[in-house]
Amino acid sequence: MKYLVTGGAGFIGSAVIRHIILNTDCQVVNVDKLTYAGHLESLRDVSSEPRYFFEEVDICDEDKMHQVFRCHQPDRVLHLAAESHVDRSIDGPKNFIETNIVGTYRLLEVARRYWMEMSRERRNCFRFLHVSTDEVFGDLGNVKARFSEETRYAPSSPYAASKAGADHLVRAWRRTFGLPVIVTNCSNNYGPYHFPEKMIPLMILNALEGKPLPLYGNGLQVRDWLYVEDHARALCKVIEHGMVGETYNVGGCCEKTNAEVVRALCNLLDELQPREKSYHTLITHVADRPGHDQRYAIDPGKISRELGWEPMESFETGLRKTVIWFLNNLSWCRQVQAHNYQRTRLGTTGREVA
Ligand code: NAD
Ligand code: TDX
């Protein structure tokens, strides 16, 4: 069995590849353009394994993607390659439209051609899993509801709109061409190898450098957190046992305000790496993100009932593991920050204090 993983040098893609290589005897082809967010260092635990292959290719490049499919003959496609940071999509939406929408369209066409040329037996087993986000559903505000697989799409940011567009394309390729696709929509991930422009790693690294911890607006926005290895397990379960044409919401039932998350990080750092003044003194309110969604929350009932998936990590154990991982892997952080890292909208620069 051979998996083709797009975006495998990113945060979640690298967790998926580690999971497959360490827990199965399958082969994995990692197709990644290595943007500022893609780092082969994140795969150092598995990259010497002969079942792992790397192709530095842009998913928008149809000719090269055809060659990759022809050469590796994958049985499964896990599509994670994307521009993924909301703040960057506000500063410059172009790359988001190109990779997330046009790139997904090109990948669907390459996969469709490849699938149509497969033997009947292999064609019946082929699967294309498109990895999407809860942000496509938009803002829950302060109502109690959670997102189900039937929730209407109402994306707020250019990032969310580009992911929504990609989701629609993937479902259309199922309905019109019969391509055996499955879609997942997951909530916020956190854990090792998280690129330090996202809130949790940014706060940890800023704290260790004694820099302000920039909470957008009032800090009361709610995100639903899931440890990245639980997401990787969910994706493998869905691609193996999920129903073709279906959508599965993935989430940890772990709603926290951003202020709660940052306070929990400060408590852990005060315990694990104490400094003269508590890390809490670094918390700073800064100008809000334009169009900032107030609340996301996933109902993971379907994947739990139908596929038996449950998160294994609690927020408390997962966050502690994450902080310890960052404390022990500051050289990885320095490497990825040095690599072509444009300091745009990091929250520590250019933002007014509210
Ligand atoms: P990431 O930004 O850490 O990694 C993205 C990877 O895709 C990088 O390795 C990058 O080099 C690669 N890439 C970007 N453009 C490419 C292109 N044109 N061709 C080939 N490779 C390209 O992202 P992530 O946080 O790991 O997210 C992975 C996927 O999961 C995305 O589709 C994202 O929308 C989705 N998702 C993320 C989260 C989250 O909390 N991070 C939650 C739900 C869903
Ligand atoms: O400095 C910050 N201060 C702050 O208050 C940053 C970077 C973020 N925030 C807030 C904004 C959000 O409410 O924290 C929350 C989390 O922000 P991010 O880490 O940027 O994640 P988010 O915008 O929620 O999107 C993430 O989850 C869904 C991923 O980046 C997406 O790829 C995924 O689809």
Side-chain angles (χ1 to χ4, degrees), residues 22-69:
L22 298 175
N23 295 287
T24 74
D25 53 10
C26 299
Q27 300 180 39
V28 181
V29 187
N30 174 13
V31 177
D32 199 297
K33 179 183 169 183
L34 299 184
T35 68
Y36 78 96
H39 298 280
L40 295 177
E41 294 87 339
S42 305
L43 290 155
R44 61 195 168 193
D45 295 350
V46 295
S47 53
S48 58
E49 170 65 51
R51 287 179 293 131
Y52 168 78
F53 306 86
F54 173 60
E55 298 283 359
E56 185 173 343
V57 176
D58 185 336
I59 57 162
C60 297
D61 186 336
E62 263 187 80
D63 290 342
K64 284 206 180 132
M65 287 303 292
H66 274 303
Q67 281 172 27
V68 169
F69 273 75

Side-chain angles (χ1 to χ4, degrees), residues 323-343:
V323 171
I324 292 172
W325 187 88
F326 275 91
L327 288 172
N328 290 334
N329 287 276
L330 291 172
S331 62
W332 176 88
C333 301
R334 274 190 287 274
Q335 256 175 301
V336 305
Q337 282 173 319
H339 176 84
N340 199 17
Y341 183 13
Q342 295 148 12
R343 291 185 63 84

Side-chain angles (χ1 to χ4, degrees), residues 87 135 188-189 198-200 203 213-225 254-266 280 283-289 292-296 315 319:
D87 289 336
E135 303 210 8
N188 281 61
N189 285 210
K198 305 287 170 68
M199 187 193 47
I200 287 183
M203 296 293 178
L213 308 182
L215 268 178
Y216 294 171
N218 60 14
L220 298 180
Q221 298 79 15
V222 174
R223 295 292 179 269
D224 185 355
W225 293 95
C254 178
E255 292 182 52
K256 303 274 175 206
T257 66
N258 294 333
E260 282 172 328
V261 173
V262 175
R263 284 199 296 269
L265 288 170
C266 290
H280 288 267
I283 296 174
T284 309
H285 288 270
V286 299
D288 210 348
R289 171 184 278 175
H292 200 174
D293 286 336
Q294 167 60 30
R295 176 170 163 257
Y296 303 138
F315 189 66
L319 203 65

